Amino acid sequence: MVYLDGQKLTWESGQIEPQALISLTAGEHLLLLDWKGMIFETDFAISLAGSSDLQLRAGLDSEDRGWQVSVNPSDDERQAALAATHSELLPPTLHWTVMQPLDVPEIDVQRFVMSSEPLEHTSAAVSLPLAVSVKAPQYGQQFIFDFGREVLGWIEFDVDAPTGAILDFVGFEIMQSQAPGYSLGVDNSFRYICRAGRQTYRSIFRRGFRYLLLSVYAADQPVTIHRVTLHQATYDQPVIGRFQCSDPRLNQIWDMCAYAERLCSDDVFSADGAYEQALWVGDAYAQQLIHQVIYSDPSLPENTLRVVADSLRRTPIVNSQVPSAWENRLMPNWSWLWAIGCYMHYFFNADSKFAQEIYPALAQQAEFALARCKAHRLGLFSLEGCWHFLDWSDIDGVDFNDQRKLAFTHENCLLVAALRATAKMALVVGKSADAQRWNLFAAHLSVAINQHLWSEELEAYVDSIDEDGQLSAKISQAVNVAALFSGVPTNERAAQLLPAVVVPPQHWIHIGSPFMLSFSLELLVRERRFDELLQVIRSRWGRMLDRGATATWETFSNPRSWCHAWSATPAYFLSAHILG
């Protein structure tokens, strides 16, 4: 939240980013930023547009150049600060810490290009070499290169330019209404300042994009662009899986999914090609399945699982994003999917050495979960201070600022599946007593889930239960699919829920991501409902193709990430269960 002179700003949609329109009188004004709860972004930018003499100064004191930060103020201090004047904010009202800037660039290239207007708009195609003539130096001449599909790698260019000519590059994934569709929060840019003459440069940072915008300015002589290319940088193994059938739409969907998996594979799995390029542990579970039918090589999933296990040196259950400084933001569902993925890796590869070396980590995590269930009065798993995420829908737990003390049905159900996977690994390494213990724990937890989280009136599992035994009012497709996937419901209850796997009742909260819909597809496979499986794949993923997708999106509509491998599971289902 942002406050100006004690008044909270109201944001509205802008051309590029959210904006607030305000009128200022002459003189000083106080801008106060308030972060309460968790923050996901690693940086925060403020852009000001107004009269030429508008200035933003960081320090409260004219001598200060650094931002001043008050860490963890009390509620009373926070409320006082929000209503304070400039002078009232000075110490000792709050205890301020001066944060000196570190490696701050002179210009934010991403936002500079995003907010600038080209001299003229034209859709005429150009060819290389491209001669960029001299224009007014304060204006950039912008050109967009379409690489034809999503790519990931090192940008390289060859130019002939005068000294001091500036080349700004910004990569983005989608064109919307004939304008760049920038992903907010993604800094996908760099600036190159030319020396005189012919020169080449290859970027040192991998970037993902389909479109590359080049802005050329500050040149007193013409600039010639000879070449703009990309050296693709992905997992270095040949694709051995193939899928071909009489339905071209299914073939195209498989190719789209396989390509997304490739762009999201490096030395470990990466959730996306452009947006974050981070190892999200739950996403990696889906990527394991896809990898198996495309590459089959075990080294990438094994390395991913081992890297994740190492986070147990710092956290009680494996961390959600590894390696990461996001250490205090565990996601239990992602931890449970890692455990399931460990057994899945053994199942596919029969690697007893891996099983022996990974089992202690599995047991360590299971011990912590057992202790938490024993501490809960209903025998359920509950852990505060986490992000209780499962799906991009309005289920309990999706908001990482919601810190109510709840036991979430989906976390308990997937824990049952993780415990059973851990028990299987215990048998593999010859620890039958451990296996019996984890299976007994899973059985007791299933009983607790069925006893406390099932609504007889609604004939479904609710999203959560609070400390006082009050059931959530929400019934979610994702939660009940997680229960079925984990084998928690009794046979009678499973029969009641199975019709809702694909088409839930209207009053249920529907699944919001291709990732979670993949668990529905798994249930269709178990029930041998293959015609429905194909219908869902053709319809939901086919719409991505219809809108020009070359890689799978994070969500079916309005995604943040346009290349997201957690959505690429149709490649697995088509190869493993349709092709066979």
Side-chain angles (χ1 to χ4, degrees):
M1 292 182 287
V2 181
Y3 293 80
L4 183 72
D5 297 333
Q7 298 296 315
K8 183 179 176 181
L9 297 185
T10 300
W11 299 92
E12 58 187 39
S13 297
Q15 182 178 0
I16 302 297
E17 298 180 286
Q19 63 184 21
L21 301 176
I22 55 177
S23 297
L24 296 176
T25 58
E28 289 191 340
H29 297 270
L30 179 67
L31 190 68
L32 187 67
L33 283 64
D34 178 31
W35 279 283
K36 184 173 175 60
M38 304 185 204
I39 58 171
F40 185 77
E41 290 77 9
T42 56
D43 60 4
F44 184 84
I46 301 173
S47 301
L48 299 178
S51 62
S52 59
D53 58 350
L54 185 64
Q55 295 182 353
L56 180 66
R57 192 178 72 238
L60 289 168
D61 191 302
S62 59
E63 299 297 321
D64 288 332
R65 295 182 60 86
W67 286 91
Q68 301 210 17
V69 177
S70 179
V71 180
N72 294 327
S74 68
D75 287 341
D76 289 342
E77 289 175 327
R78 179 174 169 271
Q79 291 302 323
L82 297 180
T85 64
H86 188 156
S87 60
E88 289 171 340
L89 274 175
L90 295 174
T93 305
L94 284 176
H95 299 289
W96 296 101
T97 301
V98 177
M99 307 296 291
Q100 295 296 339
L102 178 66
D103 296 331
V104 177
E106 293 183 2
I107 187 170
D108 186 329
V109 174
Q110 178 89 12
R111 283 171 173 79
F112 179 80
V113 172
M114 286 166 58
S115 60
S116 63
E117 287 289 337
L119 280 172
E120 57 186 279
H121 292 272
T122 177
S123 58
V126 296
S127 59
L128 298 179
L130 171 65
V132 182
S133 59
V134 178
K135 297 285 185 179
Q138 69 270 30
Y139 293 103
Q141 297 185 71
Q142 295 184 356
F143 305 90
I144 294 176
F145 297 86
D146 182 0
F147 281 69
R149 62 177 181 173
E150 189 96 11
V151 292
L152 172 66
W154 298 285
I155 300 167
E156 183 174 291
F157 58 83
D158 177 357
V159 301
D160 197 339
T163 300
I166 294 176
L167 311 180
D168 284 343
F169 291 86
V170 177
F172 57 97
E173 297 181 274
I174 192 75
M175 291 287 287
Q176 296 175 316
S177 301
Q178 298 184 324
Y182 299 109
S183 296
L184 298 184
V186 179
D187 191 346
N188 211 11
S189 65
F190 68 95
R191 166 168 287 189
Y192 180 85
I193 302 176
C194 300
R195 58 174 172 79
R198 187 80 175 258
Q199 55 210 282
T200 60
Y201 176 78
R202 182 185 296 184
S203 64
I204 60 175
F205 184 80
R206 293 189 318 152
R207 291 175 173 86
F209 55 90
R210 172 175 172 171
Y211 301 93
L212 185 64
L213 186 150
L214 167 62
S215 184
V216 182
Y217 66 102
D220 55 8
Q221 300 175 39
V223 174
T224 302
I225 312 296
H226 292 280
R227 179 170 53 90
V228 178
T229 188
L230 179 127
H231 296 268
Q232 187 126 313
T234 58
Y235 178 63
D236 187 24
Q237 287 292 327
V239 173
I240 64 171
R242 295 288 187 274
F243 179 84
Q244 194 75 28
C245 72
S246 59
D247 185 341
R249 193 170 182 83
L250 291 178
N251 296 335
Q252 290 174 326
I253 290 171
W254 192 94
D255 290 342
M256 174 179 67
C257 293
Y259 186 62
E261 173 74 0
R262 176 186 175 186
L263 293 182
C264 298
S265 301
D266 191 14
D267 58 339
V268 293
F269 290 124
S270 173
D272 37 45
Y275 188 72
E276 291 173 319
Q277 298 182 10
L279 166 53
W280 283 98
V281 175
D283 302 44
Y285 167 78
Q287 292 177 259
Q288 272 187 264
L289 293 170
I290 308 158
H291 179 90
Q292 187 63 31
V293 299
I294 296 173
Y295 296 106
S296 186
D297 172 65
S299 59
L300 177 59
E302 179 177 337
N303 191 52
T304 299
L305 294 166
R306 288 182 182 274
V307 167
V308 174
D310 187 64
S311 68
L312 284 169
R313 292 189 294 117
R314 302 176 298 279
T315 55
I317 56 178
V318 295
N319 203 9
S320 60
Q321 187 189 103
V322 180
S324 174
W326 218 39
E327 297 293 357
N328 60 338
R329 297 297 176 257
L330 299 173
M331 293 168 59
N333 283 326
W334 270 206
S335 305
W336 312 152
L337 288 173
W338 166 79
I340 298 168
C342 286
Y343 177 72
M344 183 167 65
H345 181 73
Y346 174 80
F347 177 82
F348 282 135
N349 300 285
D351 185 344
S352 57
K353 181 174 183 289
F354 168 79
Q356 289 284 351
E357 293 175 353
I358 208 72
Y359 177 72
L362 290 166
Q364 178 181 336
Q365 177 169 274
E367 289 285 5
F368 177 81
L370 176 58
R372 295 298 302 179
C373 290
K374 286 182 175 179
H376 194 276
R377 69 182 187 85
L378 300 179
L380 297 169
F381 177 85
S382 179
L383 186 62
E384 299 171 38
C386 300
W387 188 13
H388 305 282
F389 179 84
L390 178 65
D391 177 46
W392 286 124
S393 58
D394 189 29
I395 67 174
D396 286 347
V398 70
D399 180 0
F400 58 57
N401 280 313
D402 182 357
Q403 291 299 302
R404 291 175 294 167
K405 296 179 180 180
L406 303 175
F408 294 88
T409 306
H410 46 82
E411 285 180 355
N412 280 271
C413 289
L414 288 179
L415 175 54
V416 169
L419 290 168
R420 289 171 177 161
T422 302
K424 291 176 182 177
M425 289 293 275
L427 287 175
V428 169
V429 301
K431 295 183 178 292
S432 57
D434 280 11
Q436 184 177 7
R437 184 166 175 250
W438 303 135
N439 278 325
L440 185 61
F441 178 13
H444 287 166
L445 183 55
S446 291
V447 170
I449 295 169
N450 280 298
Q451 182 177 352
H452 301 295
L453 291 163
W454 174 266
S455 170
E456 292 290 352
E457 177 186 358
L458 299 171
E459 297 183 337
Y461 294 99
V462 299
D463 279 15
S464 64
I465 188 171
D466 67 17
E467 288 185 305
D468 298 324
Q470 181 66 40
L471 294 178
S472 170
K474 292 183 178 181
I475 301 290
S476 305
Q477 183 186 10
V479 169
N480 284 275
V481 165
L484 286 165
F485 171 83
S486 303
V488 168
T490 63
N491 290 338
E492 179 183 358
R493 289 177 178 177
Q496 291 175 290
L497 294 175
L498 279 169
V501 165
V502 175
V503 183
Q506 193 63 36
H507 65 280
W508 284 24
I509 297 171
H510 291 205
I511 281 174
S513 67
F515 168 76
M516 196 62 224
L517 190 56
S518 299
F519 290 85
S520 293
L521 299 185
E522 174 63 32
L523 295 174
L524 291 179
V525 168
R526 295 181 189 178
E527 295 296 308
R528 305 193 65 78
R529 293 159 60 178
F530 295 112
D531 288 342
E532 290 176 75
L533 174 79
L534 290 175
Q535 182 180 355
V536 172
I537 291 174
R538 284 192 187 99
S539 172
R540 303 302 298 274
W541 277 264
R543 290 175 199 163
M544 294 187 194
L545 287 177
D546 294 340
R547 292 182 58 189
T550 62
T552 51
W553 303 344
E554 181 181 13
T555 54
F556 287 113
S557 61
N558 302 316
R560 304 174 307 168
S561 168
W562 301 84
C563 175
H564 220 78
W566 81 347
S567 304
T569 50
Y572 165 73
F573 289 108
L574 290 172
S575 290
H577 298 294
I578 300 301
L579 186 62

